[in-house]
Amino acid sequence: MSSATRTEGTANLDVRALLAVQDSVGSLPGAVRAARGMSHFGEHALGWIAIGGIGALVDADRREKWASVAVGAVGAHAASIVVKRISRRRRPTHPSVRIGVSTPSKFSFPSSHATSTTAAALLIGRATGLPVAAAIVPSMLVSRLVLGVHYPSDVVVGSALGALAAAATVRVEKNVAVRFGPTVGDAAATTAGEA
């Protein structure tokens, strides 16, 4: 089998899976509207940056972890843009795909929404101790398909890239703590333990 034939087969599978999501989940009442809301929240990772910033303002004991949510979302978004510029994969154009929202670029691989959402959700989970990624990430991934702006492979790879970005963010945060000393949260925990 030639590489062109394999590529066509993968593309056809991606289109069939995308259409299946649109015909099932996308046909549920309110699904497109909810997906649009998620799209606007996740645009350029701005919603995740806001959550990280608000968390850092109101939760002094975990300020660095909340700041990492914002930093990780920005880093993940930037990484996805770099990969998009290299891959230059076009968004879905199959005539049966229903497009439910406008996009700032013509490129789809990987999904920047999937990338920044996965990074932010994992980092929010780290800050709160709650498994928020299990609820947030699948919803965002499916929303991109419901809106017809990504193929399934775009969101899966985007999510994997987001997980890598979150891990890199944690590593950088720990290296900064080692290099520059305890953080505000570390100092608060130490003081509380000594009291």
Side-chain angles (χ1 to χ4, degrees):
M1 181 184 292
S2 73
S3 65
T5 305
R6 277 194 301 272
T7 302
E8 287 173 18
T10 303
N12 289 336
L13 180 61
D14 246 357
V15 170
R16 285 196 310 267
L18 170 55
L19 291 172
V21 169
Q22 285 197 323
D23 290 342
S24 58
V25 178
S27 66
L28 296 173
V32 172
R33 187 194 292 149
R36 279 190 192 122
M38 294 176 75
S39 182
H40 296 309
F41 177 85
E43 195 66 49
H44 304 297
L46 294 176
W48 302 121
I49 295 166
I51 287 176
I54 292 167
L57 286 173
V58 302
D59 187 357
D61 290 345
R62 297 181 285 188
R63 181 165 287 137
E64 288 79 12
K65 288 184 180 177
W66 284 109
S68 288
V69 171
V71 170
V74 169
H77 182 75
S80 72
I81 297 301
V82 169
V83 176
K84 275 186 185 194
R85 298 291 180 209
I86 294 168
S87 73
R88 304 185 70 79
R89 181 183 193 184
R90 296 288 181 172
R91 293 191 184 274
T93 58
H94 191 278
S96 296
V97 173
R98 296 177 305 280
I99 308 301
V101 71
S102 63
T103 59
S105 111
K106 297 174 186 155
F107 303 126
S108 71
F109 182 86
S111 164
S112 296
H113 281 75
T115 306
S116 61
T117 296
T118 300
L122 290 169
L123 294 167
I124 290 168
R126 180 173 169 262
T128 63
L130 300 171
V132 296
I136 296 171
V137 173
S139 301
M140 182 62 84
L141 272 56
V142 170
S143 78
R144 306 312 288 158
L145 304 179
V146 166
L147 294 173
V149 293
H150 285 288
Y151 296 102
S153 57
D154 297 339
V155 297
V156 169
V157 171
S159 188
L161 181 59
L164 291 172
T169 302
V170 170
R171 184 173 214 173
V172 167
E173 181 188 309
K174 287 180 180 180
N175 286 340
V176 167
V178 166
R179 191 169 205 175
F180 298 106
T183 64
V184 173
D186 293 337
T190 301
T191 303
E194 293 173 356

